[in-house]
Structures are given as structure tokens and as C-alpha cells.
Amino acid sequence: MGQVEIKSREEIALMREAGRIVSDILDELEKAVAPGVTTWDLDALAEKLLAQKGARPAFKGYHGFPACLCASVNHEVVHGIPSKRRKLREGDLMKLDFGAVYRGFFGDSARTVPVGKVSAEAQALLDATRQALHKGIQAMVPGNRVGDIGYAVQSYVEARGYSVARGFTGHGIGRRLHEEPEVPNVGQRGSGMKLRPGMVLAVEPMVNQGTDEVELLEDDWTAITLDRKLSAHFEHTVLITQGGPEVLTRQRAG
């Protein structure tokens, strides 16, 4: 396991700015989600807003990813590639996973947005995933361990009959998009690295309606549920402080 960076006061200030940019742009993307809009339209909007804020995309070009936004719909779990052909329809679950780089520091966040009116089952999955992220964040206090985060997410999700997409983890974040440590969405209490003030972690439960198993599409990016049931995804970039977790990508609108 590599070295975990403890961020300085100056670095944390810049990460707050990066986080605010990510949150503000996600607010605008969420407003733009509607039946008939393409995932390509959302990506173009994200790129335009980044330029206006003097930031650059965190994902575009990362290991060859072709877009600013990971746009995954319904049974697509994560890393969906925006497309001019993919029009959103009433009842879809739209996952917006988005990151920005500002003055050398990264912010990363994801939301699942209902397209128009969604089924009660889809809304329940969305709500449970958002709450699972909240449970994970509550565990992010100094002296706890990385496994406590995963345990909080996993125990909440599985008690509601859902499964955690285990192949994907949260991560440390700072001058790089992915830093140490990995932050799995499953875990045992008291296991893993100890959490210390100044650590910044991106926590991101991906929760499936059915099986936890996924497969990769031929584009080598888009992960889908093996049983084609729905998946939801929420993520925040979180600073660990002596007084508890501070969400750097906290939604300010609504």
C-alpha cells in the first residue's frame, strides 16, 4: 500500500474550490436531465461549464476515457460513455459521475437523477443508495478505519435487499484523481487503514437492485449489471477533520 497524503491547509482550500466547482456543475447537469435529452448533450454542457469556471475535466483522457462525464443509464452501473444516440426517456435512472481539476487539485462526485417520473422501485433504490453514502460518510471520523466506511455502506444496503457492486471502490483524491487508499463499499469494522485528519477520500457506493455481479461492454468502459436490473450511484469527496467529515462536493442548491 502506498503513502497516503495528509493535505495541508493550502491544499484543502484548493480542494474546497474544486469540490464546489464539481457540485455547481452537477446542479446544472441535474436541471438539464429530461426526456429527449441525450447523454452527449449533458457531456457538452459539462465541458462548457468547466471552461467558464477555469477548470478542466478530470475524466477526459484518463486512461483514454473519451468524455468529461460518465453517463450511465438504468442497468449501466458506471463509466457509461456519452452518446448522441442515447436519448433519455421518462422513467430512466440517469447516473451523473463527474470530476474537475482546479489549480492542480481534483474533485469527484456522482448523483443518480430520476428522468421525469420513475417507478417506486427505482426511487427506492435511488434513496437507499443516497442514504448508504450518508452512512459511509458518518463513519469517516478520526480513529475509525477504512473498513468502517465499507461496513456502514454494505450493512445498510444489504439489510434492504440490495447488493453492492463490489468490483468498484472509492479512493483517496488530491493532486491525482485516484490516490491511496482504496475505499471499498464492503468491509469489516475495525479493519484497514486508520483515518486521520487531513485525509481526503472519494466515497462512492454503487448499489444494484439484484446481483452484485457486473460485466463490461465491448467499449471496455461501460459496466452493466449481469441480470440487467437497475443500479444507482452516489459519490462525494470528503475531508476528514478532527471535528468529523466535511463534504467538499456538498450540494448547495435544493
Side-chain angles (χ1 to χ4, degrees):
M1 192 176 284
Q3 189 67 31
V4 172
E5 286 188 13
I6 300 298
K7 307 299 190 282
S8 69
R9 186 172 294 173
E10 294 76 17
E11 289 171 333
I12 288 166
L14 288 171
M15 292 202 73
R16 282 195 184 104
E17 288 297 313
R20 189 171 298 133
I21 287 167
V22 170
S23 178
D24 287 351
I25 291 176
L26 277 171
D27 284 346
E28 293 305 311
L29 294 175
E30 187 168 341
K31 286 180 205 160
V33 167
V37 171
T38 69
T39 53
W40 181 275
D41 296 333
L42 296 171
D43 187 68
L45 176 59
E47 189 143 33
K48 184 179 89 171
L49 293 168
L50 276 167
Q52 288 173 4
K53 290 178 179 290
R56 61 184 180 84
F59 301 166
K60 195 170 190 178
Y62 185 76
H63 293 306
F65 190 76
C68 294
L69 180 69
C70 290
S72 310
V73 186
N74 293 337
H75 65 284
E76 295 167 356
V77 179
V78 71
H79 303 152
I81 298 173
S83 165
K84 289 178 179 175
R85 295 192 303 274
R86 189 62 180 267
K87 280 190 179 175
L88 296 180
R89 293 182 301 199
E90 183 91 13
D92 283 343
L93 280 188
M94 174 75 236
K95 278 139 281 182
L96 304 167
D97 185 3
F98 177 69
V101 193
Y102 178 72
R103 292 176 62 186
F105 285 88
F106 285 78
D108 189 8
S109 184
R111 298 178 192 171
T112 299
V113 180
V115 182
K117 187 166 174 52
V118 300
S119 69
E121 294 81 11
Q123 187 65 48
L125 176 69
L126 184 159
D127 291 342
T129 308
R130 186 197 285 118
Q131 188 62 21
L133 172 60
H134 182 61
K135 296 286 185 188
I137 291 169
Q138 285 179 322
M140 298 175 72
V141 295
N144 267 5
R145 293 180 178 270
V146 167
D148 292 308
I149 303 171
Y151 175 82
V153 169
Q154 180 185 8
S155 58
Y156 183 84
V157 165
E158 291 179 353
R160 277 144 193 83
Y162 301 122
S163 67
V164 174
R166 291 164 183 257
F168 305 99
T169 69
H171 48 91
I173 185 170
R175 290 184 187 274
R176 289 174 293 126
L177 178 59
H178 292 119
E179 297 183 350
E180 294 286 348
E182 279 195 350
V183 185
N185 294 307
V186 296
Q188 292 181 308
R189 280 179 169 153
S191 68
M193 181 177 289
K194 190 171 274 193
L195 304 179
R196 295 179 310 190
M199 290 171 72
V200 184
L201 307 177
V203 181
E204 50 176 326
M206 293 159 223
V207 177
N208 297 346
Q209 208 174 28
T211 180
D212 64 354
E213 293 184 71
V214 303
E215 64 177 300
L216 207 56
L217 294 185
E218 286 178 1
D219 63 19
D220 282 336
W221 282 103
T222 311
I224 64 171
T225 56
L226 201 58
D227 58 11
R228 306 301 191 267
K229 289 186 176 179
L230 292 174
S231 185
H233 180 198
F234 282 88
E235 175 183 19
H236 274 311
T237 296
V238 183
L239 166 69
I240 295 169
T241 79
Q242 203 61 58
E246 179 189 336
V247 178
L248 303 184
T249 47
R250 183 171 57 85
Q251 193 169 357
R252 291 186 295 167

